[in-house]
Amino acid sequence: VLAPPNPLEILGANLRGWWAFWDRATLFTDSARTTLATADGDAIAGVSDKSGNNNHMQQTVAGNRPLLRLGVVNGRSGLEFDGTDDFINGGATFAWSAANAVTIMAIVQADDYAAGSDTVCGFRSNSVPANTVATLARTSAGTFEFASYDGISANVNDTQAGTDTAVNIILGTGSAVYRECIVNGTSSPTIAGIAPATGSQAFAIGSRATSAADVFDGKIIEVIAANVNVSAAQQAALLRWGQYIRGS
C-alpha cells in the first residue's frame, strides 16, 4: 500500500513534535538514546522526535517507563502505559501566541480507566489554567476529550465518543476563535476559542504534566503536536495517515 503524506509533509514548519512508537529506530532503552529497544517488554527511556525539531522525549526514572509492545496494530509496535505512573516528557515545549494555534493528534488503544482524565498527551495545569497548552485524554465516561484554556479563567473540554480496546485516532485542534475534537473522523466543532498558554510549557505523553498526573492506561502508537489550527483538508490528510498506520 502506497503511504499517504506523513505529518511532516502535511504540516510542514508548523509541526513541533512527531513521536512514532511504531518506528523502532526511534525507541531506546536509555535516556541518552544510544541503545535501541528490540524486544517486547523493553522499558523505553528515550524516544527520538521525527519532526526534525529535536524535541526528543525521555524518562529518567526506571519505574516510570512505558513498555515496548510489538504487533499492537497492523503489525506495528506501540508503547504500553500502566495507568499508575508511566509517562515520558522532555525537550518539547510550547510557546505560542494568539496568532498561532495548537493541534494534537494521537493513535491510541485505551485499556481501562485509571482515574481523573487519563491523559494521552499534552500539558494541562489544573491550578493555573493559563499554563495549559492542551491535552488529549480518555474520560471516566468512556469518551475522548480535547482540553484547552478558555482565555478567561478555566480549562474547557470538548469530547467525542471512541471505542475502548479498539485503536482510535484522536485529533484536537483549536485557535483563538474555534476548537474541535475529532475521533475516528467524527467531530463536534465548538464555535469558541482557546487562548495561548503563559510562556513556554512542557509537553508530556502518558501524563498531563511532567510528573505522574492523570496518567493513561493503554497503548499509544503515535503522537504529533503542531502550532497550527489545521484546515479541513489537513484534518482529512491526518486522518488518512492515521488510518494507514492503523491499517483501516
Side-chain angles (χ1 to χ4, degrees):
V1 177
L2 184 66
N6 65 44
L8 183 57
E9 292 166 332
I10 296 166
L11 298 169
N14 290 308
L15 184 63
R16 296 294 302 276
W18 176 15
W19 304 278
F21 306 140
W22 50 263
D23 183 354
R24 278 181 272 161
T26 69
L27 306 179
F28 300 85
T29 57
D30 63 315
S31 57
R33 294 178 297 107
T34 59
T35 304
L36 283 171
T38 58
D40 188 85
D42 276 353
I44 302 303
V47 180
S48 293
D49 172 21
K50 289 171 68 74
S51 76
N53 293 312
N54 296 318
N55 282 324
H56 310 304
M57 290 280 172
Q58 66 176 10
Q59 177 52 266
T60 58
V61 179
N64 296 150
R65 292 170 180 167
L67 304 181
L68 172 62
R69 291 303 181 200
L70 306 180
V72 173
V73 64
N74 194 26
R76 302 182 191 276
S77 62
L79 297 191
E80 182 177 37
F81 295 77
D82 65 3
T84 300
D85 55 12
D86 288 356
F87 68 99
I88 55 175
N89 68 90
T93 60
F94 275 78
W96 54 296
S97 70
N100 299 123
V102 63
T103 292
I104 309 173
M105 175 176 150
I107 305 173
V108 307
Q109 181 183 48
D111 289 341
D112 293 297
Y113 173 68
S117 293
D118 288 9
T119 307
V120 176
C121 61
F123 185 88
R124 185 180 79 252
S125 171
N126 288 342
S127 58
V128 185
N131 290 345
T132 295
V133 175
T135 57
L136 297 178
R138 191 263 196 202
T139 72
S140 59
T143 59
F144 290 100
E145 73 175 12
F146 174 56
S148 52
Y149 172 53
D150 68 0
I152 302 171
S153 61
N155 291 321
V156 289
N157 304 320
D158 297 283
T159 62
Q160 189 64 237
T163 304
D164 278 353
T165 72
V167 176
N168 296 270
I169 304 166
I170 316 163
L171 189 150
T173 186
S175 68
V177 296
Y178 177 85
R179 65 179 191 264
E180 187 170 7
C181 180
I182 306 161
V183 178
N184 301 322
T186 301
S187 70
S188 298
T190 300
I191 309 302
I194 63 178
T198 302
S200 296
Q201 300 299 330
F203 190 92
I205 297 175
S207 173
R208 66 166 173 80
T210 54
S211 60
D214 293 341
V215 291
F216 182 69
D217 188 351
K219 301 173 185 71
I220 303 177
I221 294 94
E222 179 176 87
V223 171
I224 67 168
N227 62 344
V228 65
N229 180 29
V230 292
S231 66
Q234 288 172 315
Q235 287 181 20
L238 289 169
L239 177 62
R240 283 193 296 273
W241 172 256
Q243 291 170 331
Y244 167 74
I245 294 298
R246 188 176 65 178
S248 63

